[in-house]
């Protein structure tokens, strides 16, 4: 039985304290732990015959994260910078929305409003720039068991092209999955004269000028390029 990897979790943050939109990922994480801490009060009485009893009367939570300071094209990671911008602020400006979830699609997912602290943890001459932050819950309860926002995004797949045997200037229907955001449709090495994304499962395309014979159909999206589905065309 395989063991789950610690790095399966992702952290995203937002300025939207209603937790509805604007989430961006925090990159460069090398340590991430969430802590739910119940306050236990003694509820022991004579009836327990000498055994102690406790009740949870309050809860608090925090997230401890360590990350390397990443720079892309001279710009520091936007997620990290959103956290850092809260430091030294008050009221709403000191707060962030967050969500933390299993990026393998598992059931663990949390969200809430937090106040961050920020501390450089590697400061030696040989060290990489590293930061440790603590996100302490405030204002609203920790939302446990939210719908996991992670979705596995797969390459498009072409399952059928119909009708077959058509030639230049004719429309065909391309069926499959993952077509949202398609940027190119090709018949062999030649781009379709035009195409329209009807849905995530259907594209209509106009065959380009070309010779009769094999012209495998591919669809390209921001995720990648599909399989080459066989298609035989007329001239």
């Amino acid at each position: 039985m395989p063991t789950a990897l610690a790095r399966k979790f992702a952290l995203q943050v937002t300025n939207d304290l209603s937790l509805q939109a604007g989430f961006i990922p925090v990159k460069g994480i090398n340590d991430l732990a969430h802590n739910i801490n119940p306050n236990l009060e003694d509820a022991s009485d004579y009836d327990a015959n000498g055994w102690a009893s406790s009740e949870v009367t309050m809860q608090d939570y925090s997230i401890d994260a360590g990350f390397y300071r990443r720079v892309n094209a001279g710009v520091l990671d936007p997620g990290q910078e959103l956290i850092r911008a809260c430091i030294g602020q008050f009221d709403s400006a000191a707060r962030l929305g967050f969500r933390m979830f299993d990026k393998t699609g598992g059931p663990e997912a949390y969200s809430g409003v937090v106040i961050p602290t920020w501390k450089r943890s590697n400061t030696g001459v040989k060290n990489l720039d590293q930061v440790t932050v603590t996100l302490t819950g405030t204002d609203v309860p920790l939302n446990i068991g939210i719908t996991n926002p992670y979705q596995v995004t797969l390459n498009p797949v072409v399952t059928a092209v119909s009708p077959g045997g058509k030639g230049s200037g004719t429309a065909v229907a391309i069926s499959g999955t993952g077509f949202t955001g398609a940027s190119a449709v090709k018949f062999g090495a030649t781009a379709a004269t035009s195409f329209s994304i009807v849905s995530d499962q259907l594209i209509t395309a106009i065959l380009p000028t070309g010779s009769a014979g094999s012209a495998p159909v591919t669809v390209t999206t921001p995720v990648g390029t599909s399989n080459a589905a066989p298609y035989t065309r007329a001239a």
Side-chain angles (χ1 to χ4, degrees):
M1 180 180 295
T3 301
L5 300 177
R7 64 175 182 263
K8 69 179 182 175
F9 284 98
L11 176 66
Q12 297 179 347
V13 291
T14 178
N15 278 327
D16 179 8
L17 301 186
S18 69
L19 307 177
Q20 299 300 308
F23 285 98
I24 59 176
V26 179
K27 298 291 189 180
I29 292 175
N30 59 15
D31 192 17
L32 184 62
H34 62 288
N35 314 291
I36 302 174
N37 311 302
N39 180 75
L40 300 179
E41 292 291 330
D42 184 17
S44 304
D45 56 29
Y46 288 5
D47 300 329
N49 295 319
W51 292 96
S53 178
S54 298
E55 291 291 346
V56 176
T57 60
M58 294 189 72
Q59 304 263 16
D60 64 58
Y61 71 91
S62 62
I63 295 172
D64 298 316
F67 48 76
Y68 292 111
R69 294 287 275 153
R70 299 296 195 201
V71 179
N72 185 13
V75 178
L76 288 163
D77 178 69
Q80 296 181 11
E81 287 297 277
L82 200 59
I83 297 172
R84 190 182 64 81
C86 293
I87 307 305
Q89 303 298 318
F90 296 91
D91 301 325
S92 293
R95 289 162 165 76
L96 277 177
F98 88 94
R99 62 187 183 190
M100 177 179 172
F101 53 88
D102 183 341
K103 61 185 179 182
T104 67
E108 286 187 84
Y110 312 88
S111 69
V113 176
V114 293
I115 295 177
T117 61
W118 177 284
K119 180 181 179 181
R120 291 187 65 209
S121 50
N122 278 357
T123 58
V125 66
K126 296 189 296 183
N127 293 146
L128 297 172
D129 193 5
Q130 184 176 355
V131 172
T132 299
V133 302
T134 298
L135 309 176
T136 301
T138 187
D139 297 338
V140 299
L142 175 67
N143 300 312
I144 300 174
I146 63 170
T147 300
N148 192 329
Y150 180 75
Q151 295 181 344
V152 179
T153 305
L154 302 175
N155 283 346
V157 175
V158 177
T159 56
V161 184
S162 63
K166 297 298 180 180
S168 304
T170 305
V172 296
I174 303 169
S175 303
T177 60
F179 294 163
T180 298
S183 57
V185 174
K186 288 186 176 181
F187 292 82
T190 306
T193 301
S194 64
F195 67 91
S196 177
I197 305 168
V198 179
S199 70
D200 191 66
Q201 294 82 38
L202 179 63
I203 287 176
T204 59
I206 304 299
L207 273 83
T209 301
S211 302
S214 175
V217 175
T218 57
V219 174
T220 299
T221 71
V223 178
T225 299
S226 73
N227 57 303
Y231 187 75
T232 301
R233 58 163 293 160

